[in-house]
Amino acid sequence: GQQVMQIPQYQHVQEGEDFTTYCNSSTTLSNIQWYKQRPGGHPVFLIQLVKSGEVKKQKRLTFQFGEAKKNSSLHITATQTTDVGTYFCAGEYGNKLVFGAGTILRVKS
Amino acid sequence: NAGVMQNPRHLVRRRGQEARLRCSPMKGHSHVYWYRQLPEEGLKFMVYLQKENIIDESGMPKERFSAEFPKEGPSILRIQQVVRGDSAAYFCASSPSYGQGARPEAFFGQGTRLTVV
């Protein structure tokens, strides 16, 4: 079935280090969305990528969509304690928005 | 414009009871999605509804679970004869209608934490 694989499952970094999470789809995606969920909170939309090879930046966050539109990544430069949470990618499969399992980011100060 | 409203935020039910979870989408949104989340796990798709229609319920268990989104009022996720394994956070999300373009972002509610004792 349709799957969105996300790695790693967990990442612990020292404050100031970089962080990357990767998302792979079993099929070509029309677009991909990224969400962040703080501990105890609800998912909040970060960005959507639509075009093949697209790169978007939001301050210290860089989002990429692969050329084949089957993979995506989120890179955070110089992590801060406010970056803690779970980062999800989500792909559209027919009627459904299917989420990856998420990457839990912990930042040690 | 109020966000997606879910209630109750926390719900405790004994095994065998019924659980009713409510979701009021954002004003002007006609698409509602329900997701289930276990602690430190991802969001598992359950059902996608538009007003008075179930569009995709491929993620819903065949028994005990049902969902509706009536013409008037909130969307309801109903779990009959709850069991301990139903304990989870249930999130509702809504989005506006869209045409041929990319699916718009989904706005999530705060979730309902269901505990079955």
Side-chain angles (χ1 to χ4, degrees):
Chain A
Q2 302 108 355
Q3 279 196 29
V4 181
M5 306 300 293
Q6 199 172 348
I7 56 169
Q9 187 177 6
Y10 298 95
Q11 183 116 35
H12 292 208
V13 300
Q14 194 70 37
E15 189 174 19
E17 292 181 339
D18 292 354
F19 159 78
T20 305
T21 173
Y22 301 90
C23 186
N24 289 288
S25 168
S26 53
T27 58
T28 301
L29 297 167
S30 57
N31 63 85
I32 195 158
Q33 299 181 5
W34 284 91
Y35 291 76
K36 177 183 178 181
Q37 184 178 24
R38 294 183 184 277
H42 61 281
V44 174
F45 175 81
L46 293 175
I47 209 159
Q48 181 179 70
L49 304 170
V50 180
K51 299 176 184 174
S52 169
E54 189 170 14
V55 177
K56 286 189 176 180
K57 292 193 175 186
Q58 288 179 351
K59 296 183 180 178
R60 294 177 295 104
L61 277 61
T62 302
F63 303 84
Q64 291 189 318
F65 200 11
E67 294 290 340
K69 300 182 76 173
K70 294 179 76 172
N71 57 75
S72 182
S73 65
L74 157 59
H75 180 81
I76 302 178
T77 304
T79 54
Q80 300 175 359
T81 53
T82 52
D83 294 327
V84 298
T86 304
Y87 293 84
F88 295 99
C89 61
E92 183 176 357
Y93 296 91
N95 293 312
K96 298 180 291 199
L97 190 61
V98 176
F99 283 76
T103 296
I104 298 172
L105 173 63
R106 297 281 183 257
V107 180
K108 294 175 285 187
S109 59
Chain B
N1 187 6
V4 178
M5 304 300 292
Q6 286 189 252
N7 68 81
R9 293 287 305 278
H10 300 274
L11 181 62
V12 179
R13 283 287 177 265
R14 295 186 185 280
R15 281 177 295 170
Q17 290 185 318
E18 178 180 285
R20 279 187 175 234
L21 287 62
R22 294 174 183 78
C23 170
S24 295
M26 286 182 71
K27 189 176 180 181
H29 286 192
S30 57
H31 299 235
V32 166
Y33 314 84
W34 284 94
Y35 290 86
R36 171 191 159 107
Q37 186 177 39
L38 293 171
E40 297 204 341
E41 290 193 11
L43 295 150
K44 183 175 180 295
F45 170 82
M46 297 183 74
V47 62
Y48 165 36
L49 310 107
Q50 293 180 23
K51 283 284 187 183
E52 300 184 276
N53 287 307
I54 296 174
I55 307 302
D56 187 331
E57 57 181 347
S58 57
M60 288 271 276
K62 293 286 185 281
E63 297 179 352
R64 303 189 297 109
F65 285 72
S66 62
E68 62 176 8
F69 188 16
K71 187 176 180 181
E72 301 291 338
S75 175
I76 306 286
L77 178 67
R78 184 181 177 208
I79 311 172
Q80 295 178 291
Q81 299 173 355
V82 296
V83 301
R84 288 231 171 95
D86 296 332
S87 297
Y90 293 85
F91 287 96
C92 164
S94 75
S95 68
S97 298
Y98 61 103
Q100 296 298 319
R103 178 188 292 267
E105 67 181 274
F107 292 81
F108 280 81
Q110 301 277 4
T112 294
R113 272 77 178 171
L114 172 66
T115 302
V116 180
V117 297

